[in-house]
Amino acid sequence: MPLSDHEQRLLEQMERALYAEDPKFASSLRGHDLRRMHRRRAIRAAAGVLVGIALLLVGVIVKIIALGVLGAVVMILSALLAVHSWRQLPGAAARAAGQPAGPRPARAPRPVMQRFEDRWNRRREADGR
């Protein structure tokens, strides 16, 4: 049920008063930008990968197997978290590939034999025949 005009004005007035009284608290209540959150998580996970690599190397150098295994586990889990966080960013994969964000246009399916013939023709043209 939508708010009435009077209720909407009262709510806006209360928000302005809260922001004037305690701006830090009010900004913490506004919410977080998801893009920023996922980017921070990906950066932290990348740092975790580096820490895991360092632990793995130290474990190998000083011949402590448990430390090497711990480093490998930290590295793998951090890499998985980094990839997951990077995929959660809106349009991250498209930007990385240099394509505009959004759904890809659907291509019309071609018959299998047509694709084989096209490949054959391209090979023949590449060979100069």
Side-chain angles (χ1 to χ4, degrees):
M1 182 165 95
L3 297 176
S4 68
D5 290 336
H6 177 69
E7 291 171 334
Q8 191 73 19
R9 283 192 301 264
L10 282 175
L11 182 61
E12 289 172 1
Q13 186 179 23
M14 288 170 40
E15 286 177 355
R16 283 193 301 265
L18 175 64
Y19 192 74
E21 185 176 320
D22 193 358
K24 186 177 179 182
F25 178 68
S27 65
S28 69
L29 290 178
R30 284 194 175 174
H32 301 286
D33 182 23
L34 289 178
R35 179 178 290 153
R36 184 179 300 159
M37 181 186 72
H38 288 297
R39 188 178 299 135
R40 281 185 194 156
R41 187 179 292 164
I43 291 170
R44 287 180 185 150
V49 169
L50 295 176
V51 168
I53 291 172
L55 285 173
L56 179 66
L57 290 175
V58 168
V60 168
I61 291 171
V62 295
K63 297 180 182 174
I64 300 176
I65 295 173
L67 189 60
V69 170
L70 177 68
V73 169
V74 167
M75 181 178 56
I76 291 170
L77 292 178
S78 295
L80 289 174
L81 181 63
V83 169
H84 177 73
S85 296
W86 183 256
R87 286 186 179 173
Q88 295 298 318
L89 284 171
R95 282 193 309 271
Q99 299 171 352
R104 278 173 52 181
R107 293 188 329 187
R110 293 186 302 165
V112 174
M113 288 307 293
Q114 180 66 39
R115 288 185 293 197
F116 287 147
E117 287 177 19
D118 291 343
R119 287 181 191 165
W120 179 259
N121 291 334
R122 281 194 303 252
R123 285 184 190 143
R124 290 186 67 188
E125 289 171 2
D127 290 339
R129 295 181 186 177

